Amino acid sequence: MKALSIAGGAILLVGVLGWLALSQFQTLRTVTYVIPPGAKQNIETGRPGAEFPDEIVLTVGLKDTIVIENRDDVIHSFGPFVVAPHSQLRKRFDTPVVYEGVCTFHQDEHMRIVVNPAPWDFSVN
Amino acid sequence: MVKVTTRLIEMIIISLVLLCLTVGCQSISGYDYKGAVLDPPTPLDDFELTDTKGQPFHLSDTDGEITLVYFGYTFCPDVCPLTMWDVKTALADVPHKDQVNVVFISVDPERDTPEVLGRYISAFGPEFIGLTDEWEKVEDVLQPFGAYAAKEEVDGSSAGYLVSHTARLYLVNPKRELLLMYPFGFEPADLTSDLNQLLDQETS
């Protein structure tokens, strides 16, 4: 009976630790940016639209998922993507790529996403 | 004592197997879309444009099915035909592609008459639908997709002018919500995977 209790406790502990590990791993791979309310109006009046770098650098397999949360009342473009008002866009990059394009919440209306290959990917020069 | 130890080892092995199954099930049930996901999906209003037979087409005509939407034009030298070809390639590996519509909306109604657009779009497959209409009506449709198009005069070009336009492919789900988008140059296999996943969800 005591052995069964120990086994049951071990099952529970391993399960919880495994679940935490998996969920944290996905969180660590994600980069989140927020477009604040009024970003469009700020841009139109010459103020910064959002706290966003001009270039976002990601790495496949390590930091490869981007989430853009749009809290503004208008749709925003971020290079090849758009984010509807009060929603979020999520994209995981599985391959190296570079995107440049129009950004409606950057003052200079330009953005760049660089996705580097995984450190263990020796097939890419 | 030996019997208890053996029993304990058996329980630990069983618990590890159950844990592996649990983790595996979590991985399988949490499908990761290859396209960029909008969360929550964005509801789209219905719109009406003219198809290549000169008949009115409504986006609501595709309710209950998956619809891929693309804004382009027939004089586009590269981006549009390449994207349409990638869509055709992706659909080749979708067993239930009869439940998928591809809507190509012209951003150059001046040159893309229904006849011209019909000849262009028919080269890609019967599931491809071409739409063209007055510019003001097309412009209204661009807005909810966050898309744009603008004429650019090009000196010395035999085409006369080009039209710069967003090159995204949009995926509208059967509830007429914008769910996924794919940038130009997407991998056809990614679109295939997402389409098959969505179609499997609809049939299960």
Side-chain angles (χ1 to χ4, degrees), chain B residues 34-77:
Chain B
K34 312 299 182 191
V37 184
L38 275 177
D39 183 18
T42 305
L44 293 171
D45 291 334
D46 197 11
F47 63 75
E48 178 185 303
L49 294 173
T50 303
D51 70 14
T52 54
K53 293 183 172 62
Q55 298 301 309
F57 172 93
H58 303 90
L59 183 61
S60 57
D61 294 342
T62 64
D63 284 356
E65 296 180 334
I66 294 170
T67 302
L68 301 172
V69 178
Y70 184 79
F71 297 93
Y73 66 114
T74 65
F75 274 74
C76 181

Side-chain angles (χ1 to χ4, degrees), chain A residues 11 14 80 88 90-92, chain B residues 15 19 34 37 39 168:
Chain A
I11 294 170
V14 173
Q88 63 174 231
R90 186 176 69 255
K91 168 69 179 155
R92 194 184 82 188
Chain B
S15 69
L19 176 65
K34 312 299 182 191
V37 184
D39 183 18
R168 301 179 199 108

Side-chain angles (χ1 to χ4, degrees), chain B residues 12-40:
Chain B
I12 290 174
I13 291 172
I14 291 171
S15 69
L16 287 174
V17 170
L18 286 173
L19 176 65
C20 289
L21 286 172
T22 304
V23 170
C25 288
Q26 283 294 326
S27 302
I28 291 169
S29 64
Y31 175 80
D32 219 343
Y33 286 109
K34 312 299 182 191
V37 184
L38 275 177
D39 183 18

Side-chain angles (χ1 to χ4, degrees), chain A residues 31-96:
Chain A
V31 180
T32 300
Y33 295 98
V34 175
I35 305 170
K40 183 177 189 302
Q41 278 184 319
N42 287 342
I43 290 288
E44 289 172 348
T45 55
R47 290 173 290 176
E51 294 294 326
F52 251 80
D54 293 337
E55 179 176 283
I56 293 172
V57 180
L58 304 171
T59 304
V60 174
L62 294 178
K63 207 78 158 178
D64 57 9
T65 303
I66 189 168
V67 170
I68 301 172
E69 185 183 333
N70 183 5
R71 297 181 185 172
D72 204 355
D73 294 331
V74 299
I75 196 168
H76 277 282
S77 292
F78 183 64
F81 310 114
V82 291
V83 195
H86 304 287
S87 75
Q88 63 174 231
L89 177 138
R90 186 176 69 255
K91 168 69 179 155
R92 194 184 82 188
F93 294 93
D94 295 323
T95 54

Side-chain angles (χ1 to χ4, degrees), chain B residues 63-112:
Chain B
D63 284 356
E65 296 180 334
I66 294 170
T67 302
L68 301 172
V69 178
Y70 184 79
F71 297 93
Y73 66 114
T74 65
F75 274 74
C76 181
D78 42 26
V79 173
C80 298
L82 286 173
T83 301
M84 288 299 100
W85 188 257
D86 285 343
V87 171
K88 181 179 172 68
T89 303
L91 288 174
D93 290 325
V94 177
H96 300 289
K97 66 177 182 180
D98 56 309
Q99 297 173 37
V100 180
N101 304 288
V102 184
V103 174
F104 182 104
I105 300 176
S106 174
V107 294
D108 183 17
E110 198 174 312
R111 291 181 294 195
D112 289 346

